[in-house]
């Protein structure tokens, strides 16, 4: 009997959209197509471009739609993953309450599954990365914002309205700086890209890029090192609280700033060791994501398999 | 065929030990025996007293051991619930790494299940109380310390080394007051009994009990009201973070201080509404535990049923 065995994974990012073809159960992508999100400045234009790109990818691979199990799509914002409904995208205008699953299924004639991109990174880590075989794991991405997702009892945890995991909006100082979310002292208000760059500008007395800070820190520059140390400390405080509450055995850190290097990770680890409770800290290890840049894309393909077959394989 | 249908529930508290007989599946206890923990000042004396009391309870009820499904025991500290091993009790000396399940099973010839008392309060809420039919719920107890437990996907969540749920040790101010756990600015360091009494002493200029503060607050005394308001605010900050991370639909608050009344609950609710993210705060409700004083005892009997039959019924 003929068995469909291809999966399309999509990472709809605020900067770049990536579309890739996967063979079921494999991490390596067969073919990838990308385009800049900003090139399609309305919701309608971006949606049409997405549909056209998917169709072109399929035809360029010379496979039939009946060979495809489904399409997984990761999006940069909160979604109702059961209904495939986008609540909104903080950094792409015009997608409020958009029924992405329904609309894409109509256009493509394929099954579509929608999930938040950080949750997909966690699924990718669970199937192929640092969270393989792990029961309880906190995943986070460090970038413009601080994203998070939880693996609990071996499965992606979604919460009561599918929006669990907002680790960036755990307050570590109730009286701290204002956060975009409306609260104060959130982890993201301390260690989001913008705040790091602002701190660096003060310390260096000039504009400086994240790449330069990383390079300088690796060369032993004290000021640059202090930036990653401080960031690791604040992150460590938030993670200590999560370690006390969740008692995970693993924390996986991804996203651009995870490349800051060993100074950052040392600082995170020593803060958690110092601040979390002993029965909790002694069972947890903190590692860098091994999937990197393509993690949400890989996770989108895992989502299709998990949704259709109810387990990871 | 003869089916055993009684369960013994025990709440081993730092102040009082309660032992009760339950009929399987029922909340109301048939018979209860209590004694003061401090009357048995060594680990051996307390353990022997416990065994004798259980045996006396059984014989005074005129039931046979073969009528008893098992014994559930809640303890005031971290345990490995799988092995029934007590790690330690913060407020009862001499129980470090004590194999309570094994020792009790030897003495009693009955199946024994051991769990932390706050986790049992959560189990009781899940089976008989405010968390009935709820998917994701944060339970906490306000007293000398701040205890916590999580119901996730309809089950008690234990974590990777069985010590999940330490909500009292979520830091809401990384630079805040020292906590007993070794960290700083933990929720417990702000709203534990001691801290509340210290704040009250400052405000009133004299020693004052929690009961008096409650009474005065209910009579409209501004200073007393402010104490519960402040406490509700700090608690609301911590809960906002948990709401963003777990996305629960319910928060159940128990323990002595939960009786402070509506000022406390109003303050908690308004803080969560203000500080948590909108898609999260709009699905969560915050209520007082309905089981009160006997919750861990009831939970101990639920533990036996859940452990033996793998579901709540």
């Amino acid at each position: 009997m003929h068995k469909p065995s291809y999966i399309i994974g999509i990472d709809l990012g605020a900067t770049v959209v990536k579309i890739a073809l996967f063979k079921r159960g494999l991490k390596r992508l067969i073919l990838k197509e990308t385009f800049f999100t900003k090139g399609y400045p309305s919701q309608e234009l971006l949606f049409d471009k997405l549909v056209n790109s998917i169709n072109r990818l399929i035809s360029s691979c010379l496979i039939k739609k009946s060979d495809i199990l489904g399409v997984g799509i990761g999006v940069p914002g909160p979604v109702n993953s059961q209904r495939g409904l986008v609540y909104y995208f903080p950094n792409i205008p015009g997608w409020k309450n958009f029924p992405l699953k329904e609309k894409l299924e109509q256009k493509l004639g394929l099954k579509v599954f929608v999930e938040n991109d950080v949750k997909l990174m966690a699924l990718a880590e669970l199937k192929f990365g640092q969270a393989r075989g792990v029961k309880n794991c906190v995943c986070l991405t460090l970038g413009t914002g601080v994203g998070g997702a939880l693996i609990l009892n071996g499965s992606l945890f979604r919460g009561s309205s599918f929006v669990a995991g907002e680790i960036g909006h755990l307050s570590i100082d109730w009286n701290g700086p204002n956060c975009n979310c409306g609260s104060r002292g959130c982890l993201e208000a301390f260690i989001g890209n913008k705040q790091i760059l602002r701190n660096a500008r003060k310390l260096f007395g000039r504009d400086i890029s994240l790449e330069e800070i990383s390079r300088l820190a690796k060369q032993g520059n004290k000021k640059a090192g202090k930036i990653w140390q401080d960031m690791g400390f604040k992150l460590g405080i938030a993670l200590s609280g999560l370690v006390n509450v969740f008692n995970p055995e693993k924390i996986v850190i991804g996203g651009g700033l995870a490349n800051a290097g060993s100074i950052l990770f040392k600082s995170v680890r020593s803060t958690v060791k110092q601040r979390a409770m002993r029965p909790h800290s002694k069972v947890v290890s903190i590692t860098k994501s091994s999937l990197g840049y393509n993690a949400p894309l890989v996770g989108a393909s895992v989502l299709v398999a998990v949704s259709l077959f109810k387990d990871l394989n």
Side-chain angles (χ1 to χ4, degrees), chain A residues 145-298:
Chain A
V146 175
L150 303 170
I151 303 290
L152 300 178
N153 292 326
S155 298
L156 180 64
F157 178 75
R158 290 185 166 94
S160 292
S161 58
F162 311 97
V163 288
E166 291 288 357
I167 293 166
H169 300 286
L170 189 70
S171 178
I172 56 169
D173 182 0
W174 57 270
N175 202 23
N178 290 330
C179 182
N180 282 337
C181 76
S183 185
R184 298 181 67 170
C186 293
L187 178 61
E188 186 170 303
F190 283 106
I191 69 159
N193 275 356
K194 264 190 205 164
Q195 190 55 43
I196 298 291
L197 288 173
R198 195 178 307 154
N199 293 348
R201 206 178 304 130
K202 264 190 215 160
L203 208 61
F204 284 90
R206 63 173 173 93
D207 279 341
I208 182 169
S209 71
L210 293 167
E211 291 71 25
E212 193 182 348
I213 303 170
S214 270
R215 193 166 40 75
L216 287 173
K218 278 170 195 168
Q219 289 166 2
N221 180 292
K222 289 253 166 77
K223 284 182 190 171
K226 191 171 157 22
I227 287 170
W228 296 145
Q229 252 166 7
D230 282 355
M231 181 180 176
F233 174 71
K234 298 284 173 20
L235 181 52
I237 295 287
L239 290 178
S240 298
L242 293 179
V243 161
N244 289 344
V245 174
F246 284 114
N247 183 208
E249 70 237 61
K250 197 103 176 185
I251 295 171
V252 180
I253 304 177
L257 288 185
N259 299 315
S262 63
I263 300 178
L264 175 68
F265 277 83
K266 246 189 209 165
S267 172
V268 173
R269 288 191 189 107
S270 75
T271 306
V272 169
K273 200 173 167 188
Q274 217 185 325
R275 294 280 188 131
M277 298 168 91
R278 183 77 189 120
H280 302 70
S281 67
K282 74 178 184 191
V283 299
V284 72
S285 67
I286 302 173
T287 56
K288 192 178 146 182
S289 159
S290 54
L291 295 168
Y293 191 66
N294 277 333
L297 199 57
V298 173

Side-chain angles (χ1 to χ4, degrees), chain A residues 124-162:
Chain A
E125 292 292 339
L126 184 62
K127 167 83 179 167
F128 295 116
Q130 295 291 338
R132 241 180 311 177
V134 168
K135 214 176 151 198
N136 301 300
C137 176
V138 173
C139 295
L140 62 160
T141 58
L142 307 177
T144 310
V146 175
L150 303 170
I151 303 290
L152 300 178
N153 292 326
S155 298
L156 180 64
F157 178 75
R158 290 185 166 94
S160 292
S161 58
F162 311 97

